[in-house]
Amino acid sequence: MIRPRRFGILLIVALASAACSSNSQYVPVAPVAAQLSVERFLQAANGRDFQGMGRLFGTTDGAAWDTGSSFGCFFKKIGSCFGGSACTRKIDVELRMDAIASIIQHDDYRIVREESVAGRTRPARRVFVDLTIEGGSATGMPFVVVQTGEGRWLVEQVPLERIMAAR
């Protein structure tokens, strides 16, 4: 026979565990974050802020500007001899951002729309941008933005060829 006191404790535990159950549904991430990364990247490009661009450009592994410490790069260089990847130097990131900035210098921009990118293991968005460059327009330019493990959104792909062709 269950004593009233034990019954009360069991009832409280049962109710508490029922109240703590979670419903694990997919909740889409607010698309504003991906768009904001593209906007900041475009602004940094116009300001020739290569470090700012490097902090907003990268992959799901992190920003291009975060090249790692000297100690970590030492082990990456050793690993690159066996098929791994070598460290990227900050000067190389800066040169890449300079090249990108020279192509995407613009007078104005407008975010047109956004859509998800299929076939990715991490969240990725395609942000379409209309650029006004030297009086002309480059419409519907697709910037691909990815989410890192830390939840940051980074520009992964810039449609350089399409922008140059629209000039």
Side-chain angles (χ1 to χ4, degrees), residues 4-75:
R5 186 175 188 183
R6 282 191 184 167
F7 179 73
I9 292 173
L10 287 174
L11 181 63
I12 290 171
V13 169
L15 290 173
S17 66
C20 292
S21 68
S22 64
N23 185 1
S24 60
Q25 293 180 349
Y26 172 74
V27 178
V29 178
V32 172
Q35 292 178 14
L36 189 59
S37 290
V38 171
E39 288 183 355
R40 287 181 178 162
F41 185 77
L42 289 170
Q43 291 165 356
N46 261 13
R48 314 266 316 155
D49 176 7
F50 307 131
Q51 182 176 349
M53 289 175 69
R55 291 187 189 283
L56 293 163
F57 186 85
T59 65
T60 57
D61 293 330
W65 191 258
D66 301 335
T67 59
S69 66
S70 302
F71 188 67
C73 280
F74 171 74
F75 287 109

Side-chain angles (χ1 to χ4, degrees), residues 138-153:
T139 59
M141 297 294 119
F143 287 74
V144 175
V145 187
V146 295
Q147 190 176 36
T148 68
E150 301 166 338
R152 294 177 55 206
W153 287 91

